[in-house]
Amino acid sequence: MRITDDSNYRNLLLDIQRIAERMQNAQSQVSSGKRLNRPSDDASASADVVSIDAERATNAQYLDNAASAQSRLEVADNALDGVQLVIERIRSLGQLAQSGNTPSATSTYEINQLRDQILSAANTVFEGQSIFAGSKTDGAAYVKAGNGTVSYSGDSMVTKLQTGRATSIQSQIPGDQIFSGSIDIFQTITDLMNAINTGDKAGIQTGVTNLGTLSQTVSSVRTQVGGLINSAAAAQSDLRQTELTQVAQLSRLRDADLSRALSDFSQSQIALQAATAVGARVSSISLLDYLK
Amino acid sequence: MSTLSSLSTALNSAMSALKASQAGLSVASNNIANVNTPGYSRQRIMLQEAPTIGDTISVGTGVHILGTEAIRDQLIERRIWNETSGKSASDLTHQSLTDIENLFNEAGNTGLLPLISNFYNSFQKLSTNPSSPELRQQVISSATALTQSINSRANELRDMRTSIDRSIGEDVSKANILIGQIAEVSKQIHEAEATEPANDLRDQRTSLIKKLSEVMNVKELDSNGTYQLTTGNGRPLVIAGTAIPLAVGTSSGGLTTVLSGPHDITSEFSSGTLAARVALRDQTIPKYQQSLDQLAFDLATQVNQLHSVSYDQDGNTGTNFFNPIAAVPGAALSLQVNSVVAADPRKIAAASQPGGTDNEAAIALGNLVNATNPPRGTITDQYRGLVFQIGSETASVQVDFNQHESTLTQLENMRASLSGVSIDEETASILQFQRAYQASARVITTIDQLLQVTLAMGTAGA
């Protein structure tokens, strides 16, 4: 083949361009730490990154939801723990009154205080929400009227939070399943105080029995809440596991293999040096140098 | 034959040799001068021995200069034009696809995907406390960020398409100027070649056609003294020195069309920037617009369907979250949060019961992130498809461009190997003619001395 000056330069230029392109590619991988800098770097990996990124964002929200459910349930459990102690105390005060050992005024004074404690527990607020008011969380669950009667102003809705694609966890238990179900705790206590005041033994007996039932209700709700806390915790650990897998997948898909990128870079650097050196040599050889 | 006449014959042939050497030197010098001229084909001097004379012994009468010939292979030139069209088309397509790719690049921090996720997650957050004004406001903010981001991408696609449409007209003007020049040069070639080959004009025409090839692929027919240049599909551009310029029209849809006489040839081009622009305008960009429109349409429709049967904080129902979108085309441009809802976050329907206090609709709206819309899948699936499509298309055009570039370089090298100037070769040729010139000059000096001897002989004899 006849070689001309023109083709020497053209080949040199194309080679240098291609090497420079490879160098730039390696350089951007090193500086960004990413293998995928644009979708065309690897279209199917980029598409996978989109799906996994989306799942990861949704997963993070599920994790938040599960944590929020757990916090709510723990607050509820704490409140109910207190309520159970108070019920037991009222029950024993009732039993004492039944045996006639304490002055009725002393008993009813304390019972009245304890009733307010239960009311305040039933109106427990978490992050501005009444956790025992069903879905009507922005108001108090139980309202005490001027005459002392307490009524439920929540509803019977069971609130859940989404903790997975197809799973949700109950985060709140409405008050009408605890304090004002088949037996109303506040009415029971009011009736008990009246019975003590009037010395109505049968009435006191009914009150004490009802309080026993209520104590069992609270206890069984606490068992339910404990179960829910466990599943919220389990959901979180599952979601964290998923998150770790997703992060690993993302890293595999889009993070640059630094050692490879660096070796690519130095390889192209050597190639570029060689190409320019040879190019300079070739163009310096001319017949003219030998004709004097 | 007399001595004098044979000496003068020798003098004449030495003179012709001097002329031939001079001509050879000037051809070599011209070649060197054009070593870097694009499209230049090296020339060679064509010499022929002069006819013999004499009756007893025949002697040649020197050398004839027939002219110069240019060394070129029209076949290689045509392949170069072809490859030039292919390269310029894939170069332009690659640039535009890179622009589109930037709109859907999730590698940086400005992607669309986080906004999609945030939007659905904002409903999930709202489900943890549906009566919170902050969480309601957050739903509006993340929805607005999403709609604005989709709108601006749709806007950019539309602007890109408009500017490409404008460039089609500019391409045609550029082509018409070149067609006019090619016609003019063809006319000159026709006139000049009545006497001798018009090497420089042919080089000039070849370069002009190469420039025209960047705009469109062309075919050349040069036979029986009639020169024709047509589009790849055979529409005439130059016939026998007359330019037949293309014209620009407007389609019923308001887009630029390319006309050859009465024929609309807009979609006839198979390569060159014109073909690339038409394909981008009519196929590539509309395809991405359609994907984005479909995504926006499905997003708004799904959310509205659920939102309009759910209850807001005041127990009202029947409100759309997004302004309802009637048709898929243009959906991405018009996607917007219903201004009634945007102005009053209490109007977000988070509840599934008329009481308006529960969180079930908020959960359901958040769960739409996983709602499939057969056959297109979830909104994220649709976006994934879009990213894959732009990524693979850009990558394949890049490969295409590299191939054209390599082939073109190879062809240019083949051309250079045949038609390019080699300084070494020309130096050798200068040396060759220099020596021939010196030898001829020597011959003339010798004949001069012999003639003097002959003339002195005459004087002595008289």
Side-chain angles (χ1 to χ4, degrees):
Chain A
M1 186 165 159
R2 199 174 153 266
I3 304 297
T4 60
D5 301 64
D6 185 35
S7 56
N8 274 336
Y9 288 118
R10 191 178 303 106
N11 284 339
L12 180 66
L13 206 64
L14 185 71
D15 287 345
I16 290 179
Q17 267 171 4
R18 293 268 160 95
I19 298 168
E21 221 174 277
R22 265 203 344 252
M23 262 175 91
Q24 197 198 16
N25 190 22
Q27 189 209 354
S28 79
Q29 284 199 19
V30 171
S31 61
S32 70
K34 283 182 177 167
R35 186 175 73 87
L36 295 178
N37 287 305
R38 9 180 7 102
S40 54
D41 288 341
D42 184 341
S44 59
S46 298
D48 286 345
V49 165
V50 167
S51 295
I52 298 170
D53 252 347
E55 278 165 27
R56 192 178 153 208
T58 311
N59 193 69
Q61 184 58 45
Y62 292 154
L63 196 57
D64 278 358
N65 287 356
S68 168
Q70 188 177 349
S71 306
R72 259 156 235 265
L73 291 163
E74 277 166 356
V75 169
D77 188 50
N78 263 335
L80 293 177
D81 187 30
V83 167
Q84 214 171 3
L85 291 173
V86 171
I87 291 174
E88 286 311 318
R89 176 68 188 150
I90 298 173
R91 235 179 99 192
S92 59
L93 284 172
Q95 280 161 346
L96 283 176
Q98 208 171 18
S99 58
N101 288 338
T102 358
S104 58
T106 317
S107 307
T108 51
Y109 177 77
E110 191 182 345
I111 292 173
N112 199 31
Q113 297 288 313
L114 293 169
R115 183 170 175 264
D116 281 350
Q117 272 187 37
I118 294 179
L119 177 64
S120 129
N123 281 335
T124 300
V125 168
F126 174 79
E127 288 178 351
Q129 297 173 273
S130 290
I131 58 172
F132 293 116
S135 76
K136 298 171 98 172
T137 53
D138 50 346
Y142 288 89
V143 178
K144 192 175 175 182
N147 65 2
T149 53
V150 171
S151 56
Y152 185 48
S153 57
D155 58 25
S156 309
M157 290 203 60
V158 168
T159 303
K160 291 176 175 173
L161 291 178
Q162 198 74 19
T163 54
R165 194 172 266 259
T167 51
S168 55
I169 285 178
Q170 186 179 339
S171 59
Q172 276 158 247
I173 292 164
D176 63 356
Q177 285 185 17
I178 315 165
F179 309 104
S180 48
S182 51
I183 307 170
D184 187 303
I185 196 166
F186 301 104
Q187 194 56 50
T188 303
I189 296 170
T190 307
D191 290 350
L192 178 66
M193 285 192 294
N194 286 339
I196 292 171
N197 279 336
T198 56
D200 172 6
K201 299 267 175 176
I204 297 174
Q205 182 55 46
T206 313
V208 169
T209 313
N210 282 348
L211 283 172
T213 315
L214 281 164
S215 174
Q216 274 168 18
T217 307
V218 171
S219 168
S220 76
V221 168
R222 284 193 66 200
T223 311
Q224 191 193 349
V225 169
L228 290 171
I229 290 174
N230 284 343
S231 41
Q236 286 175 76
S237 93
D238 283 354
L239 289 165
R240 285 213 182 83
Q241 191 56 49
T242 312
E243 191 183 24
L244 285 180
T245 317
Q246 285 163 343
V247 168
Q249 277 176 320
L250 282 173
S251 158
R252 185 172 51 74
L253 286 169
R254 72 177 163 202
D255 288 353
D257 180 345
L258 270 189
S259 52
R260 215 175 98 187
L262 282 169
S263 90
D264 263 7
F265 186 80
S266 37
Q267 231 172 32
S268 349
Q269 206 174 16
I270 293 166
L272 189 63
Q273 278 165 355
T276 42
V278 168
R281 268 316 149 68
V282 164
S283 51
S284 73
I285 301 171
S286 166
L287 180 57
L288 286 168
D289 298 339
Y290 301 94
L291 297 173
K292 292 279 149 65
Chain B
M1 194 168 43
S2 74
T3 314
L4 265 178
S5 80
S6 93
L7 276 178
S8 77
T9 307
L11 193 61
N12 277 336
S13 60
M15 275 308 292
S16 74
L18 273 184
K19 274 188 201 152
S21 304
Q22 271 172 353
L25 281 168
S26 67
V27 168
S29 140
N30 187 47
N31 281 343
I32 291 175
N34 285 298
V35 65
N36 290 323
T37 309
Y40 178 75
S41 303
R42 76 186 155 111
Q43 295 180 6
R44 207 158 49 185
I45 187 160
M46 290 189 299
L47 299 174
Q48 197 184 41
E49 55 179 293
T52 53
I53 51 159
D55 18 304
T56 46
I57 43 160
S58 22
V59 176
T61 50
V63 58
H64 262 176
I65 304 169
L66 291 179
T68 52
E69 66 169 340
I71 313 296
R72 70 159 73 81
D73 180 349
Q74 202 59 13
L75 219 60
I76 295 182
E77 301 290 357
R78 287 175 189 169
R79 285 177 64 195
I80 288 178
W81 299 340
N82 222 352
E83 220 45 55
T84 303
S85 300
K87 184 187 158 191
S88 69
S90 50
D91 192 15
L92 186 103
T93 308
H94 184 250
Q95 281 171 23
S96 295
L97 285 174
T98 307
D99 287 345
I100 301 175
E101 195 187 18
N102 280 337
L103 298 180
F104 304 109
N105 192 355
E106 291 296 323
N109 297 318
T110 53
L112 190 58
L113 184 73
L115 300 177
I116 297 177
S117 299
N118 279 351
F119 169 66
Y120 289 113
N121 280 348
S122 71
F123 280 114
Q124 292 284 3
K125 281 204 183 77
L126 180 60
S127 81
T128 64
N129 189 358
S131 57
S132 153
E134 292 81 21
L135 292 181
R136 283 180 178 265
Q137 190 54 51
Q138 213 177 317
V139 171
I140 301 292
S141 315
S142 55
T144 313
L146 176 61
T147 56
Q148 281 172 352
S149 180
I150 290 178
N151 296 157
S152 82
R153 280 162 172 80
N155 262 322
E156 293 212 28
L157 284 175
R158 191 187 53 186
D159 291 351
M160 251 181 233
R161 191 160 177 255
T162 315
S163 104
I164 285 173
D165 184 60
R166 248 198 318 271
S167 310
I168 291 176
E170 291 162 10
D171 264 359
V172 171
S173 324
K174 192 167 137 193
N176 280 340
I177 293 173
L178 289 166
I179 291 166
Q181 288 170 340
I182 294 167
E184 181 56 34
V185 173
S186 297
K187 204 157 84 189
Q188 288 171 10
I189 292 173
H190 189 72
E191 284 160 6
E193 291 196 341
T195 49
E196 57 179 331
N199 295 327
D200 51 340
L201 289 170
R202 280 184 178 271
D203 281 348
Q204 204 182 330
R205 182 166 68 190
T206 303
S207 293
L208 287 170
I209 296 176
K210 192 179 169 208
K211 266 191 206 149
L212 181 60
S213 300
E214 286 174 13
V215 181
M216 64 177 84
N217 53 320
V218 293
K219 277 199 300 210
E220 177 188 58
L221 197 72
D222 191 5
S223 65
N224 307 326
T226 316
Y227 182 81
Q228 270 190 44
L229 189 71
T230 67
T231 66
N233 258 30
R235 305 285 182 189
L237 299 172
V238 174
I239 293 179
T242 309
I244 302 161
L246 299 173
V248 166
T250 308
S251 74
S252 52
L255 295 172
T256 309
T257 55
V258 183
L259 303 169
S260 164
H263 308 284
D264 181 347
I265 59 166
T266 316
S267 48
E268 277 186 10
F269 302 100
S270 60
S271 69
T273 51
L274 207 45
R277 288 190 217 276
V278 170
L280 282 165
R281 182 193 73 181
D282 295 347
Q283 284 142 37
T284 315
I285 296 181
K287 185 172 64 193
Y288 292 107
Q289 284 179 316
Q290 145 76 21
S291 301
L292 196 61
D293 280 342
Q294 186 71 58
L295 187 149
F297 181 82
D298 287 349
L299 177 88
T301 310
Q302 281 178 336
V303 170
N304 279 348
Q305 268 172 4
L306 204 57
H307 195 270
S308 61
V309 297
S310 305
Y311 296 87
D312 69 15
Q313 214 173 348
D314 300 308
N316 298 316
T317 185
T319 320
N320 279 316
F321 185 83
F322 292 110
N323 285 339
I325 299 172
V328 175
L333 274 174
S334 61
L335 182 69
Q336 217 168 15
V337 178
N338 184 354
S339 55
V340 175
V341 177
D344 179 9
R346 290 181 69 86
K347 296 259 185 324
I348 296 170
S352 65
Q353 300 300 317
T357 51
D358 68 282
N359 67 354
E360 282 174 14
I363 293 179
L365 286 163
N367 282 347
L368 284 178
V369 73
N370 294 321
T372 57
N373 207 340
R376 296 183 294 277
T378 64
I379 298 297
T380 319
D381 289 342
Q382 289 189 37
Y383 188 61
R384 176 202 160 101
L386 216 166
V387 169
F388 177 75
Q389 198 172 24
I390 184 67
S392 55
E393 198 167 355
T394 311
S396 89
V397 170
Q398 172 76 60
V399 170
D400 199 40
F401 174 76
N402 284 347
Q403 262 166 14
H404 281 302
E405 194 181 40
S406 297
T407 315
L408 190 60
T409 305
Q410 221 174 349
L411 285 170
E412 299 263 17
N413 283 346
M414 276 168 74
R415 186 195 182 279
S417 171
L418 187 76
S419 310
V421 175
S422 156
I423 291 184
D424 283 349
E425 196 179 82
E426 299 305 330
T427 309
S429 147
I430 286 172
L431 214 60
Q432 199 183 352
F433 286 115
Q434 190 187 352
R435 296 286 175 239
Y437 189 93
Q438 285 169 344
S440 311
R442 181 76 204 179
V443 170
I444 291 172
T445 319
T446 310
I447 292 172
D448 180 38
Q449 287 166 354
L450 288 179
L451 278 174
Q452 280 175 20
V453 170
T454 312
L455 290 174
M457 249 163 56
T459 322

